[in-house]
Amino acid sequence: MPRAVRYDRYGTVDVLYIADVATPAPAADEVVVEVVVAGLNPGEIPVREGLMHDVWPASFPSGQGSDFAGRVVAVGSAAGSAAGSAVSTPPIGAEVIGFTDRRAAQADYVAVPANQVTPKPAAVDWDVAGSLFVAGTTAYAAVRAVGAEPGETVAVSAAAGGVGSLAVQLLRRRGVRVLAVAGEANHDWLASLGAVPVAYGEGAERVEERLRAAAPEGVDAFIDAHGDGYVELAMRLGVAPVRINTIADFPAARKFGTKSDGSAAAASADVLAELAALLAEGEITAAVSATYPIERVREAYTALAGPHSRGKIVLRMR
Ligand SMILES: NC(=O)c1ccc[n+]([C@@H]2O[C@H](COP(=O)([O-])OP(=O)(O)OC[C@H]3O[C@@H](n4cnc5c(N)ncnc54)[C@H](OP(=O)(O)O)[C@@H]3O)[C@@H](O)[C@H]2O)c1
């Protein structure tokens, strides 16, 4: 039987289990993908714990996961005419990168609208492809939101994370000077991506001091991928609210009138295709730190919730 990650009530990783499920049949506008790799994202943890119930309630049994890469095994009767994307429907057997809005990626098979997949370039490895959607589209949206221009200075918090590291590279491609706030273990790597590493820790004032020292002429824009005071810090640095984007502190975004574009603002196969092409051409890189078989999903989320080394954590289906 095909397998899928499930949970029947909110709770710790212990509520997660592997269920035997039926292979989905495609609706008219859908494709069914045999998943090779599905990504994990930190935002899935508070959803599973019930902390986001008022905003994004779960209906039980709930599946899990947005990011996947795999092979198309079925195409719906009208999928060839999928609207809203320049990307044409891939045929059966095609290797694709995709996303689902139904918390369903962590499974052997997933059915999605045909305009939610894009061909996987052969040069992009499965683990990177299977964890591209949320981090990639979020970084893309955040960079677009702050409108960075060549020669400007942009600070990024959580710069070594899944989102932050892609944002750093997209900014560098725009000719921007990037101040990358990250743990010291990641400084050499961020410098190799062309960023100026800035340490966090020892209190918000110290980060502020270091950012001011790294950019005496000022910071033009700020991408916050961590929350916990970075929006306020950006305001203290004199960054205009319209040039601050947080993906992690929505109360601060409302309080100061900053932007908060995340994955949903760039969730399309066209954006995925653009990011996949950049990866295939070696223009950007994405790290994967750990792979787990689907059966070890609890361990994978335990690792994600704790201090983890640089890169995405993914589930392999076989
Ligand atoms: N709104 C959306 O659409 C959206 C989408 C994706 C993610 N998110 C949110 O964005 C955040 C980041 O996601 P991610 O996938 O990039 O996470 P991730 O890959 O787990 O990375 C987290 C990063 O946080 C950094 N960090 C820890 N403490 C920090 C501090 N005090 N200051 C600066 N950085 C610190 C760590 O840096 P070091 O390793 O260098 O120590 C680590 O690289 C999460 O809160 C997630 O829920 C939102």
Side-chain angles (χ1 to χ4, degrees):
M1 289 284 285
R3 302 154 305 166
V5 173
R6 289 276 183 273
Y7 57 101
D8 297 336
R9 59 191 164 82
Y10 292 130
T12 67
V13 288
D14 293 339
V15 300
L16 295 171
Y17 66 96
I18 305 299
D20 290 336
V21 296
T23 307
D29 66 339
E30 289 183 339
V31 294
V32 174
V33 175
E34 182 178 21
V35 178
V36 175
V37 171
L40 272 61
N41 286 288
E44 289 145 7
I45 296 173
V47 169
R48 188 240 303 140
E49 290 174 337
L51 303 177
M52 305 306 291
H53 180 78
D54 292 343
V55 198
W56 297 305
S59 53
F60 300 117
S62 177
Q64 199 166 241
S66 305
D67 311 348
F68 66 85
R71 293 183 184 86
V72 174
V73 291
V75 177
S77 56
S81 56
S85 172
V87 181
S88 57
T89 300
I92 287 177
E95 296 182 349
V96 294
I97 308 176
F99 64 99
T100 169
D101 307 321
R102 300 175 195 151
R103 299 177 187 166
Q106 294 167 5
D108 283 317
Y109 295 94
V110 61
V112 292
N115 63 1
Q116 291 184 197
V117 296
T118 190
K120 182 186 87 65
V124 178
D125 87 32
W126 283 107
D127 294 333
V128 169
S131 54
L132 181 60
F133 168 68
V134 169
T137 55
T138 304
Y140 186 101
V143 168
R144 186 175 60 189
V146 299
E149 299 290 337
E152 288 191 321
T153 298
V154 180
V156 179
S157 65
V163 176
S165 60
L166 290 172
V168 165
Q169 295 175 79
L170 295 174
L171 289 165
R172 289 294 299 144
R173 281 180 50 74
R174 288 183 171 215
V176 166
R177 181 166 184 261
V178 181
L179 307 183
V181 181
E184 294 192 13
N186 291 314
H187 283 197
D188 286 350
W189 179 63
L190 288 162
S192 78
L193 298 177
V196 177
V198 174
Y200 65 75
E202 297 178 56
E205 318 76 45
R206 299 299 309 280
V207 185
E208 183 173 342
E209 256 173 48
R210 293 183 197 112
L211 285 169
R212 286 186 191 280
E217 67 298 338
V219 173
D220 299 296
F222 204 114
I223 292 176
D224 169 35
H226 182 70
D228 199 22
Y230 280 101
V231 171
E232 286 85 347
L233 188 148
M235 295 294 296
R236 287 199 300 278
L237 291 172
V239 182
V242 71
R243 305 215 55 200
I244 300 171
N245 192 78
T246 180
I247 59 165
D249 191 347
F250 304 111
R254 281 192 294 277
K255 181 173 174 189
F256 296 105
T258 74
K259 294 184 174 176
S260 56
D261 285 3
S263 177
S268 74
D270 297 332
V271 171
L272 263 185
E274 199 176 323
L275 293 165
L278 291 174
L279 286 164
E281 291 155 10
E283 292 287 317
I284 59 173
T285 61
V288 173
S289 66
T291 62
Y292 292 82
I294 185 174
E295 295 84 0
R296 290 172 55 199
V297 61
R298 292 179 181 179
E299 283 169 70
Y301 274 98
T302 301
L304 180 65
H308 51 276
S309 54
R310 180 174 71 236
K312 299 292 295 179
I313 295 174
V314 302
L315 297 179
R316 286 190 184 151
M317 300 309 142
R318 54 180 73 224

